[in-house]
Amino acid sequence: EPQVTDLFPADGVSEEELLKGAFALEHKSEHPLARAILALAEEKGLAREEVSDFSALPGNGLVAKRNGKELCGGNRALITKKAVLSKQMEEQAAKLSEEGKTPLFFREDGKMLGMIAVADVIKEDSPRAVKELQNMGIRVVMLTGDNEATAREIARKAGIAHYQASVLPQDKAAFVSRLQAEGRKVAMVGDGINDSAALAQADLSIAMGGGSDIAMDVAKMTIISSDLAKIPEALCLSRLTVRTIRQNLFWAFIYNIIGVPIAAGILYPINGFLLNPMIAGAAMAFSSVSVVSNSLLLKRKRIHEGEENKEVEPPTETIMKKEFKVEGMMCNHCRMHVEKALNSMEGIHATVTLNPPVATVEFSDGEKTLEELQKVVTKEAGDYTLKA
């Protein structure tokens, strides 16, 4: 759950001016980080100013006009197109990222308004929910548009071993597609507009009730609350339901399979037995009673402990992690090419960041040499150099 932790107005700008600008822009956004800013502005009793020509730039931020001036808020790449960050603000932003916080920058025309730090405060039950999913044999991966430092800290607190940072909406969908191409069944959980493409691509899409309308429209399942612990419960309930359906089909057909041949006289040539219509009718009624009774037993299942009411030990996996410097990357497309090339190798899960230009590679099936990695990168991505 995101919360505003710090306000850093630019020189000559008050905290109230910064927050008013952010409030005017963010109130039209459905992004979770926007909710944190709105909550602080409303807590301080600030009046909301109307904006026009509002547009969301997926993975980057928001743009609108206030009093004829362009109001902009988002990540560093978006803001620095028309404004210059001071050295002090650059250093402060780097420090916030290391602490696991997300720096959001705001400007009006070419003038910097300042920076607002938002931290994703992990709910107490989130690490437990992640652990339950892992105990069910599910590999949990976090995809986020936040920078590497913030993503790493959040993943550590939540107990998530695999994550990817600085991911744009189309990259999330591409990541899901890549896993599906490997023959995996993918469930995507999301709550924002930026997750909608990946939700549509996944085999199972789960939207959180506190998220955006478009995420809930696209998803095949919606958790009414924002409690992540409901996800393993939903999966367990789904498995129990499918098992009950199979049992019901058995009880629905077993009477017919046995009764129809007997009613047709299959035993008459042998011992002269014919099935009494009263018995046949009772058997049909009892089949319906069996199906309904078996379905009602679902209410007594302890779904939070899984299908068999016991925890499944997570599969053991030996993972070795190494970091390599990447030379030659100039933009996010370069980063994506290098990351895709590395992930094409069997037994490797790679995360590549642009700033700093580093590839973090996890080996789950034996370590590959630098020469092997470089060969694949050159062949699949182009003229990029890996250095240990």
Side-chain angles (χ1 to χ4, degrees), residues 13 16 44 55 59 61 99 111 161 168 187 224 271 305-306 343 352-353 362:
V13 178
E16 184 175 338
K44 292 183 176 292
S55 63
E99 295 172 355
K111 175 188 175 183
L168 296 175
I224 300 302
N271 55 16
E305 292 186 7
N343 282 309
V352 180
T353 59
E362 297 176 356

Side-chain angles (χ1 to χ4, degrees), residues 148-173:
E148 171 69 18
T150 302
R152 181 172 58 248
E153 182 64 15
I154 295 297
R156 183 189 66 79
K157 291 179 179 178
I160 299 174
H162 306 282
Y163 68 89
Q164 290 208 1
S166 303
V167 182
L168 296 175
Q170 61 269 27
D171 298 336
K172 294 181 181 180

Side-chain angles (χ1 to χ4, degrees), residues 38-293:
L38 299 187
L40 179 61
E42 289 169 359
E43 179 185 322
K44 292 183 176 292
L46 296 181
R48 189 180 71 196
E49 299 179 59
E50 292 300 323
V51 296
S52 60
D53 299 332
F54 175 86
S55 63
L57 307 176
N60 286 297
L62 309 169
V63 177
K65 285 188 176 181
R66 182 178 64 166
N67 300 325
K69 296 181 179 180
E70 186 182 67
L71 186 62
C72 182
N75 60 21
R76 183 185 181 282
L78 177 65
I79 295 300
T80 52
K81 289 180 179 179
K82 291 188 178 181
V84 178
L85 298 182
S86 65
K87 183 179 179 181
Q88 181 182 3
M89 192 169 289
E90 289 269 20
E91 292 174 350
Q92 188 63 54
K95 182 181 177 182
L96 290 170
S97 297
E98 291 173 0
E99 295 172 355
K101 300 176 183 178
T102 301
L104 300 176
F105 303 92
F106 295 87
R107 64 168 170 80
E108 193 164 32
D109 280 348
K111 175 188 175 183
M112 280 298 301
L113 295 178
M115 176 176 64
I116 297 179
V118 180
D120 279 318
V121 180
I122 296 179
K123 296 180 180 178
E124 292 182 2
D125 55 0
S126 295
R128 178 174 64 85
V130 171
K131 183 64 176 177
E132 286 184 13
L133 289 171
Q134 292 169 338
N135 286 346
M136 294 168 67
I138 296 173
R139 181 187 180 190
V140 180
V141 181
M142 183 180 78
L143 304 178
T144 176
D146 288 336
N147 58 58
E148 171 69 18
T150 302
R152 181 172 58 248
E153 182 64 15
I154 295 297
R156 183 189 66 79
K157 291 179 179 178
I160 299 174
H162 306 282
Y163 68 89
Q164 290 208 1
S166 303
V167 182
L168 296 175
Q170 61 269 27
D171 298 336
K172 294 181 181 180
F175 183 82
V176 172
S177 298
R178 187 164 67 243
L179 292 178
Q180 291 172 326
E182 295 173 1
R184 301 176 185 269
K185 295 294 183 182
V186 183
M188 174 69 187
V189 182
D191 62 358
I193 295 175
N194 291 347
D195 301 320
S196 57
L199 287 169
Q201 179 64 41
D203 299 292
L204 170 62
S205 48
I206 304 174
M208 306 307 292
S212 64
D213 291 338
I214 189 171
M216 288 186 277
D217 287 341
V218 170
K220 298 172 183 175
M221 176 192 298
T222 298
I223 304 295
I224 300 302
S225 70
S226 296
D227 184 1
L228 289 180
K230 298 298 181 184
I231 296 173
E233 288 185 13
L235 295 177
C236 288
L237 178 59
S238 176
R239 291 178 179 178
L240 287 168
T241 302
V242 170
R243 187 173 69 177
T244 299
I245 290 172
R246 290 171 179 165
Q247 293 170 347
N248 288 345
L249 288 173
F250 170 80
W251 289 114
F253 286 106
I254 190 66
Y255 297 102
N256 292 319
I257 291 173
I258 297 174
V260 169
I262 296 176
I266 192 172
L267 296 179
Y268 187 78
I270 301 173
N271 55 16
F273 179 78
L274 285 174
L275 186 65
N276 190 308
M278 296 290 290
I279 297 176
M284 289 297 295
F286 190 70
S287 71
S288 299
V289 172
S290 301
V291 168
V292 173
S293 300

